[in-house]
Amino acid sequence: MKKLILMIAVASLFSVGACGQSSKNVPANAKTFVSQKFPNATNIKWGKESSKEWEAEFKVNGKKFSATFDNNGAWMESEYEITANEIPNAVNATIQKSFAGYKITLSEISETKDGKVYEFGLAKGKEKLEVAIDASGKVITKENAKEDEED
């Protein structure tokens, strides 16, 4: 499940067309969640991430966010990109030790009902990884990144 969420998260950052859909069918409780959890959200765009999932993309204080919901409007995940300066020392230490020589191509925080994790796209030559690390520096998931994967 975490693998699926991570892949959806990375794919959602690069999908633009899906968010151009009308927001008239978005579940009301999903809209309420976004307005309550992210009261400073601007440029909210809704779209279908899949046949079973809605996504809201928006900005908060200039930073890109996304939140996903099931078809009933139940919140599943929120994500936002972070800079290198926002990566905790324990997480940075894990990247430097366990993934020496890899370049960070994407860094973000993913929050679900189970808590927050730091997600990274890493590259070393042609090898690409998707990695999730908790705040203490423990690697939660590590897998080869799949390019241009479709549902």
Side-chain angles (χ1 to χ4, degrees), residues 30-81:
K31 288 182 176 182
T32 300
F33 179 92
V34 171
S35 67
Q36 290 178 348
K37 179 152 174 100
F38 305 101
N40 298 325
T42 60
N43 301 327
I44 300 171
K45 295 179 181 150
W46 289 93
K48 289 290 280 182
E49 183 67 10
S50 72
S51 63
K52 298 179 181 180
E53 191 174 310
W54 283 93
E55 179 182 47
E57 290 184 342
F58 50 94
K59 289 188 176 186
V60 176
N61 300 324
K63 191 175 278 203
K64 293 180 183 179
F65 279 73
S66 70
T68 54
F69 303 86
D70 68 18
N71 279 334
N72 295 319
W75 174 73
M76 297 167 52
E77 178 184 34
S78 297
E79 308 177 306
Y80 60 95
E81 290 186 43

Side-chain angles (χ1 to χ4, degrees), residues 3 7 10 128-130 143-149:
K3 178 180 175 182
M7 290 179 356
V10 173
K128 295 181 182 352
L129 299 175
E130 295 173 355
E143 54 196 48
N144 291 324
K146 298 182 179 52
E147 294 188 38
D148 299 321
E149 182 172 301

Side-chain angles (χ1 to χ4, degrees), residues 12-28:
S12 70
L13 291 173
F14 299 106
S15 68
V16 177
C19 291
Q21 297 180 10
S22 170
S23 64
K24 67 180 178 179
N25 296 324
V26 175

Side-chain angles (χ1 to χ4, degrees), residues 69-123:
F69 303 86
D70 68 18
N71 279 334
N72 295 319
W75 174 73
M76 297 167 52
E77 178 184 34
S78 297
E79 308 177 306
Y80 60 95
E81 290 186 43
I82 58 173
T83 65
N85 293 339
E86 296 172 286
I87 301 170
N89 291 337
V91 175
N92 244 338
T94 297
I95 292 171
Q96 291 176 12
K97 180 180 178 187
S98 299
F99 304 98
Y102 283 84
K103 177 184 173 191
I104 296 174
T105 58
L106 173 72
S107 56
E108 61 188 13
I109 291 178
S110 171
E111 182 179 356
T112 66
K113 64 179 174 61
D114 297 326
K116 289 183 182 180
V117 296
Y118 294 82
E119 295 180 339
F120 300 94
L122 303 174

